[in-house]
Amino acid sequence: MTRYILHRILQGIPLLFFISIILFVLMMNMGDPIATMGGRTATRPADRERLKRQLGLDKPIVVQYFYWLAGNDWTKIDLDGDGIGETYGERKGVLRGDFGYSLVNRGKPALAVIGERIPNTLILMVAAELVIILGSLLVGVYSALHQYSFTDHFITTLSFIGYSMPIFFIALLSMYIFAVLFKRWGLPYLPTVGMFDPQVGKTAGQVILHMILPVLSISVISLAAYSRYIRSTMLEVMNQDYIRTAKAKGLPRPQIVYIHALKNASLPIVTVIGLDLPLLLGGAVVTERIFAWPGMGRLFLDHVERGDLPVVMGILMLISVAVVVFQILTDIVYAWLDPRIRFG
Amino acid sequence: MGILNIMIAESTPNLFVDDLETPPLPLTTLAWKRFKRHRMAMLGGVFLILLVLYSFGGSLFVEEKYANFTNPPIRLNTPSWQHPFGTDTVGRDVLARTIYGGQISMIIGILAVIIETSLGILIGALAGYYGGTIDSLLMRFTEAMLNIPEIFLLIVMAKFFGNKIPNLTLLGRTFSGSVVVIIVIIGLTSWMYLARIVRAEFLSIKENDFILAAKATGTSNTEIIIRHILPNSIAPIIVSATLGIANAILSEAYISFLGLGVQPPTATWGNMLDGANNYIESAPWLWFFPGLLILLTVLSINFLGDGLRDAIDPHSRAI
Amino acid sequence: MCNFKKYSQLISVIVITLILIPACGPKTSASPKVTTFIFTQEFDTLNPLYSNMWFSQITLELWNGWAWNFNEKNEPVPYLVKEMPSIENGGISADGKTITVKLREDLKWSDGIPLTSEDFVFTYDMTISPKNAVATTYPYDQLASLEAPDKYTIVMKFNEPFAPWQATFWKGILPSHILKPVFENEGSIDNAEWNLKPTVGFGPYIFKEWESGSYTRFVANPNYWGPKPKIDEIFIRFVPDDASQINALEAGDGDLGTFIAYSDIPKLEQEGIKIIPAFSGYNEGMFFLISKERGHPAMLDVRVRQAIAMGIDRESIVKNLLLGKTAVPASYWDALPFYNTPPVQNYPYDPEASNKLLDEAGWVDSNNDGVRDKDGVELVLRYGTTTREVRQDTQAVVQQDLAKIGIKVNLLNYDSDVFFASYDKQGPAATGQLDIMQWSDTTNFPDPDYYYWYCDEIPSAENPQGANWQYLCDEELDSLFKLQATQVNPEERQKTYQKINQIFHDNVYWLGLWQDPDMWALGKRLSNYKISGVTPFFSIGEWEFSSGE
Amino acid sequence: MDPEPLVIVEKLKKYFPVKKGLVFQKQSGFVKAVDEVSFEICRGETLGLVGESGCGKTTVGRTMLGLYPITEGKVVIEKLDIAKADRNKLHRLRQKAQMIFQDPYASLNPRWTVSAIISEPIWVHHLAHSEKEKIERVQELMKLVGLSPRLINRFPHEFSGGQRQRIGIARALASQPEFIVCDEPISALDVSIQAQVVNLLEELQDQFQLTYLFIAHDLSMVRHICDRVAVMYLGTLVESADRDELYENPLHPYTKALLSAVPIPDPKKDRMRHRIILQGDVPSPISPPSGCRFHTRCPMEKPHCGELVPVFKEAAPRHWVACHEIT
């Protein structure tokens, strides 16, 4: 097992390199980070020239990638534009945990910029994932046990609708109904945007209240997908011989369902969740935009707009690492759930 | 030449072993029978036809010029007899725009899937058929692409390709270059799952003796890939492509919604929503109709794909 | 040390509370006056040297400030200085090459340290130091030298007279006692903590906290050297979505918003929210690519440009898309009436005249495809701008208007970092891929100086950062622009601008679409405010807030 | 018969690499599937290649036709050296040398009609000038192997196992080959059908002067069809001789053991005869035993058997054997 994990980790490293190269090349051609620098007019020509040099953006892409990866503190860089390097660079490179400084939030390390948003995204996503897992288990198991009943058909249809729902449609619709119309009708209404009311502060109650609609929007799609998945897995397991044996033995039904069937049905579900979890780390970009949630997805959008390579690369690499790690974790959980699986 | 003549002369008809009595049903008939039983899939199919009629047939009644006709004095009018879906921020008719937007959205969906499927098949086939280093390289690349969430990749690519492609004139209509960009980037970001499916299919099918037989016959690798293996892995490809259309239409909507997609005045359901973001409350018709149409289209395709899967690809089981 | 500070703060809070409770118990509680501003963009950094962002720059007035402010009429008023330097009071030397600034003597930073000429010199040093990657070195790079003969005097010396000094110098001062040690230790202030948490300032408010993605909080500066501010706390909340901003303003969750879309104004006014337009010099307009090598041949002909000017119903755009809340500018200097005297005449909407001009110019629809052509070249223009909604809407309307006079335009939209990308980054405007470019621009407001039309700003491989994306080299215009930059005497400068304006008008080098004042929305709870187009919060200390209605 | 053999196999080696390792895979060894195998087949002759499953006989067949790259050695078919042949020559060879497969289910493309399957060699080698001519030839071939030409547009799943094998034979004949490798063509069929197919093969051989390499593990059927028989053990040939000579007078202990296991139709004789039961399992082809590969299981084993590799030599006229104990 240890050997297997080691194997996977070692495999993950070249993969991450691969990803970083693809992304870096894309990022380098995405726009000019010093075109306006967030201002309302174009940056002055002389400043553009100087900034490109000072921020190292004048270097060829290979050199920039190398600096990004391995830092430039071992070489002298030219700050004053005379073509001769005089001071050592300050960047340590990603390999040494330095993702560089944000080009937008000047003076702030990219990791710090991202780090501030991670908790917000996690709060939202963990809540959504809990709703998804619990909800889909309930719905999926129920409709598997009542296969072909009216409720089953109803749930199946509903889950298809949920699965086909564009996230912005459900987000806009729910915001319109629960925040706008409810308010108009004098009903208790939900807040439209933000994570909390700054004047009240970041209290648990505030955050929960602001979280309801985004969580709802994120959950609907995955809930539909997962519950269908659980339903079909459960159906398959319920038709296995050992379940029939258990029934024949006269085991109580809940015991059959929850101990025998569900445990075995949970295997493929673990895989799916394992694949989905890291993606949630990126946050639902669209949801965060609509509800102005200060998470990573919105951060990504804001910084992509200004070509902030260090932050955008940071976010994407972080997610990639998470994907790799979660794939390994999934395998471990898988092995733990299913004693037949041993990795050699 | 000679040998065959001898064959004819000396072949004896009474050597025939046995004829078949009743011909079994062809595969396509079987599939159709299974498909027909899938009521939701039938319904999805019918709905999809209606939606296609709406988007493409609608252009018989409404001219594209009308869909792009701005009339600022009547901006943001509520739905009325004259403008059943209301008007947008420059007074264009929303109904007409959903018709032409639907066309573009569907064309994007279909063309993007063609790119996606071609890429997926190409990469999956090369990796699965040749194996070895080619396989490792291609699969590492696939995994790398797969590891980045699609929406992020789409955004980055949309910025990368943004407006690098000029406008196109096709069939007397001018398509914004951004339409082509969207098609390309959706195609480029969605082939990975299909590549994996195709690779797995190829890996298993190429082990069959009939591939060896073809090699022994002298059939070239390309012919083996195209004529032998591909037809045998067509079922999952068709299902994946069908569902891919739904995904592509959604992807288009997402990037257009984020302002990186097809640029106005060319309407798509997605970019109609983009402008609506600021009018959630004051002009709900701006987002409701295109949103609903996207939902209905995606839903119909998903139902259809589900039915197809059951009909032609009974092995696979997934959502 | 740190702990002690917190501890003492806690004690003082408790003590004050204990004192206050019996004092105001029976009466209405004197709850602190807390107001919320809504910004649609989050600050990138708060260090004035490092940010180009307008929101960051205007917030400066809360906690830092300019040496002199501009009032609601956009006239300079002394703030850190005793009086505005002028030739009359000797602040400006006769040859216009030396400017002497006298500072107030009672200035101090929020931590009690006096603010002196040393801080000004430090700000200058930091701006031009090659070790700092500041957003712009302009206008400090124009200085020959900067001297501080005493604690309250600074002497700015130029090689040439520098006309636009008022609008450009001393927008934000750095605390040398905080940042000098950083610079000496780290060799740069690029990464100083103060940039993002400027807890030491000198404005009526001081920075308290910044919750990324949510808000920044400013509280009244107890050490403020001016009159005590009337409001206790200001929250600046970041709401990226325009619609949410409007909702929040209507619901009273926010007391101030800006960048209000014209279409939202009636609704807000209905709710009793005051809308104040503040001119900051911005005019939305079209720039034309006038280049033999890169552009469309038709654009070289002034008659075609005039036809475009008369072929677009700009009044209708302003009336319908912008709800008549603004006007069509006749010149690039509309917001600066002084430099637009006598005002130039605007081109009227006259499609017939346009048609006539185009016919005269030889552009006729010879193949009957609805588009004019000449010598086999169709009159199809590329018209690009950013993705802002109102711009896309304008494009759609313009496309229709121009189609009526037989000009076809292809519309293109770009994210602003792509649109404004430089020549070497293949920016579409910079590389001459667009015949018509639209954006909103201002001069060094309230100063008319600009560099877009200099011949030596034409981009090329040798000059990849060039800003003359019109590729237009008009020798006369070039020399007039160079002349005005050295005319410290306003009257002389005004005369130069008359000529410049006339050239612009006659040649249609730029076509104004609408004046683009900043639209401020102020809720009912705020009062006694004045808003300037240059320094909107110049009087923030006097603003009043009343929670009880 | 031609004095010159149609097929010459000389010291043929086929090793498959075995890979191991975490990230950087390295070769850790080989599966020595075929090791120094030599034989010749004359025109019109049938050589039977027998041995236990996994001994490498199928690999010999496939390597000979260039389906696997040759590790070492020489294969000459119709004066053409396969190892040295370029693409074009190999392509021409494939017209002359064909193969019939063991599994009639897996060897026919399920998505193709009979017509497409049988005509594949025809279009690959451009043997027909028109679509019509192609169809006619397919129909002829179908008749030839005893299939009704009416079934030309049917799919393989509509046929029985025997019929499918006939389709496979028709495909092999389609390119007018001279040499056919029959890779256990009957082992997947019912016994009743086996005889039909073998008879068909024999008839075709007579008609068209075909040369067969008949790979089988069933010694009785081999005796029926083959002119010469070669016995393989663990990648090497242990004995080869004319059919009757081998069956009457086997020399190698392994051949003896194999023949002793063949059921004899007469129960009396069957009971009388001495059955040789081999000890132990077949060793791994990755690290085959040193010296004589059979020594670990040989009833006649001597100490030097594990050291020296026995030479494949002609012990009697046209009777070759590889054993230290036979001189």
Side-chain angles (χ1 to χ4, degrees), chain B residues 216-262:
Chain B
T217 300
T219 312
S220 66
N221 283 332
T222 330
E223 299 264 13
I224 290 178
I225 289 176
I226 293 172
R227 302 178 74 144
H228 278 286
I229 310 188
L230 210 52
N232 279 289
S233 44
I234 204 74
I237 294 175
I238 288 179
V239 173
S240 153
T242 312
L243 297 175
I245 295 177
N247 268 332
I249 290 176
L250 268 186
S251 296
E252 183 276 317
Y254 280 127
I255 17 182
S256 290
F257 178 72
L258 296 173
L260 293 163
V262 175

Side-chain angles (χ1 to χ4, degrees), chain A residues 41 47 52 54 106 117 199, chain C residues 36 44 130 133 136 212 424 441:
Chain A
T41 50
D47 292 323
K52 279 181 77 158
Q54 287 175 326
R106 303 286 296 284
R117 302 295 187 91
Q199 292 208 17
Chain C
T36 304
D44 42 12
T136 177
S212 171
D424 55 344
D441 217 327

Side-chain angles (χ1 to χ4, degrees), chain D residues 83-101:
Chain D
K84 289 175 192 155
D86 59 13
R87 276 177 83 133
N88 283 334
K89 282 189 179 158
L90 206 60
H91 191 72
R92 240 175 294 140
L93 172 90
R94 286 194 163 137
Q95 187 194 335
K96 293 288 162 209
Q98 271 293 326
M99 190 155 184
I100 296 167
F101 290 85

Side-chain angles (χ1 to χ4, degrees), chain C residues 273-290:
Chain C
I273 291 163
K274 191 110 189 273
I275 302 292
I276 299 180
F279 271 100
S280 51
Y282 281 91
N283 289 304
E284 182 87 15
M286 289 176 168
F287 296 80
F288 300 111
L289 177 64
I290 306 171

Side-chain angles (χ1 to χ4, degrees), chain A residues 26-307:
Chain A
L26 286 174
M27 287 289 308
M28 287 302 293
N29 292 289
M30 253 178 43
D32 190 352
I34 47 180
T36 64
M37 303 191 72
R40 292 167 76 177
T41 50
T43 310
R44 294 181 79 92
D47 292 323
R48 285 190 185 216
E49 200 127 352
R50 177 181 49 82
L51 279 164
K52 279 181 77 158
R53 190 178 62 242
Q54 287 175 326
L55 299 174
L57 300 172
D58 56 340
K59 298 272 188 305
I61 179 165
V62 181
V63 176
Q64 287 199 44
Y65 178 75
F66 194 71
Y67 284 179
W68 176 82
L69 194 69
N72 62 358
D73 53 353
W74 43 269
T75 179
K76 285 188 172 163
I77 51 169
D78 173 28
L79 286 179
D80 51 10
D82 55 5
I84 306 155
E86 57 284 309
T87 37
Y88 282 103
E90 285 172 347
R91 287 158 64 181
K92 290 199 182 66
V94 173
L95 292 180
R96 283 176 284 166
D98 176 13
F99 278 77
Y101 284 91
S102 164
L103 296 178
V104 170
N105 301 115
R106 303 286 296 284
K108 205 171 190 176
L111 273 187
V113 175
I114 301 165
E116 282 177 344
R117 302 295 187 91
I118 290 180
N120 299 344
T121 288
L122 284 184
I123 290 173
L124 186 65
M125 293 304 150
V126 169
E129 194 65 27
L130 281 178
V131 170
I132 292 167
I133 293 175
L134 290 178
S136 58
L137 273 178
L138 270 175
V139 172
V141 171
Y142 182 88
S143 54
L145 294 184
H146 302 85
Q147 199 189 0
Y148 301 134
S149 70
F150 172 76
T151 330
D152 177 34
H153 280 303
F154 184 71
I155 288 174
T156 306
T157 312
L158 216 59
S159 66
F160 253 103
I161 295 177
Y163 180 60
S164 309
M165 193 86 101
I167 211 165
F168 47 74
F169 192 62
I170 178 111
L172 294 173
L173 198 65
S174 61
M175 194 200 279
Y176 186 60
I177 294 172
F178 296 110
V180 178
L181 287 184
F182 269 41
K183 189 177 174 189
R184 200 176 287 167
W185 296 335
L187 294 169
Y189 61 94
L190 289 166
T192 49
V193 290
M195 190 178 175
F196 54 89
D197 183 346
Q199 292 208 17
V200 180
K202 202 172 180 174
T203 61
Q206 274 288 320
V207 174
I208 290 171
L209 202 64
H210 281 75
M211 216 161 63
I212 295 174
L213 287 180
V215 166
L216 182 79
S217 315
I218 297 171
S219 321
V220 166
I221 292 172
S222 302
L223 189 113
Y226 282 17
S227 59
R228 259 190 70 76
Y229 200 72
I230 289 172
R231 176 180 176 272
S232 57
T233 322
M234 275 296 284
L235 280 177
E236 200 168 272
V237 174
M238 290 295 282
N239 287 328
Q240 302 268 322
D241 283 344
Y242 64 86
I243 298 291
R244 277 196 218 112
T245 316
K247 276 184 196 162
K249 269 198 303 193
L251 279 183
R253 195 174 149 86
Q255 200 176 334
I256 296 173
V257 172
Y258 294 108
I259 296 177
H260 286 259
L262 200 57
K263 193 182 167 196
N264 286 290
S266 59
L267 277 173
I269 298 163
V270 166
T271 321
V272 177
I273 294 173
L275 279 174
D276 261 21
L277 268 178
L279 306 192
L280 292 178
L281 185 63
V285 177
V286 175
T287 319
E288 284 187 2
R289 174 177 149 138
I290 293 176
F291 293 102
W293 190 267
M296 292 227 298
R298 210 179 106 204
L299 184 77
F300 179 82
L301 272 182
D302 288 351
H303 288 243
V304 155
E305 239 164 54
R306 283 183 59 176

Side-chain angles (χ1 to χ4, degrees), chain C residues 470-499:
Chain C
Q470 299 79 253
Y471 286 80
L472 166 69
C473 183
D474 182 325
E475 307 284 347
E476 191 188 356
L477 195 62
D478 201 61
S479 58
L480 285 172
F481 266 118
K482 289 202 168 115
L483 175 67
Q484 62 79 29
T486 60
Q487 288 175 311
V488 185
N489 184 326
E491 277 73 30
E492 287 173 20
R493 217 174 165 202
Q494 190 188 34
K495 289 206 180 81
T496 313
Y497 266 101
Q498 277 173 20
K499 291 180 196 156

Side-chain angles (χ1 to χ4, degrees), chain B residues 1 3-4 7-8 10-11 15-20 23-24 27 208-210 212-219 223 227-228 231-232 234, chain D residues 62 67 91 94 98 101 106-112 120-121 123-125 137 140 144 146-148 150 154 158 163 166 171 176 207-208:
Chain B
M1 270 311 272
I3 194 164
L4 265 168
M7 279 180 181
I8 304 159
E10 298 192 343
S11 61
L15 204 78
F16 293 165
V17 182
D18 45 6
D19 286 1
L20 300 156
L27 289 177
N208 277 306
D209 275 352
F210 68 83
L212 209 61
K215 280 187 190 165
T217 300
T219 312
E223 299 264 13
R227 302 178 74 144
H228 278 286
N232 279 289
I234 204 74
Chain D
R62 291 181 179 177
L67 293 175
H91 191 72
R94 286 194 163 137
Q98 271 293 326
F101 290 85
S107 61
L108 304 180
N109 188 336
R111 298 268 162 178
W112 282 21
E120 187 179 12
W123 58 256
V124 166
H125 295 290
R137 289 193 184 187
E140 287 155 18
L144 199 65
L147 289 170
S148 162
R150 286 191 293 113
R154 293 291 174 82
E158 300 171 35
Q163 285 173 315
R166 286 168 192 271
R171 171 177 58 190
Q176 305 163 357
Q207 272 183 34
F208 304 122

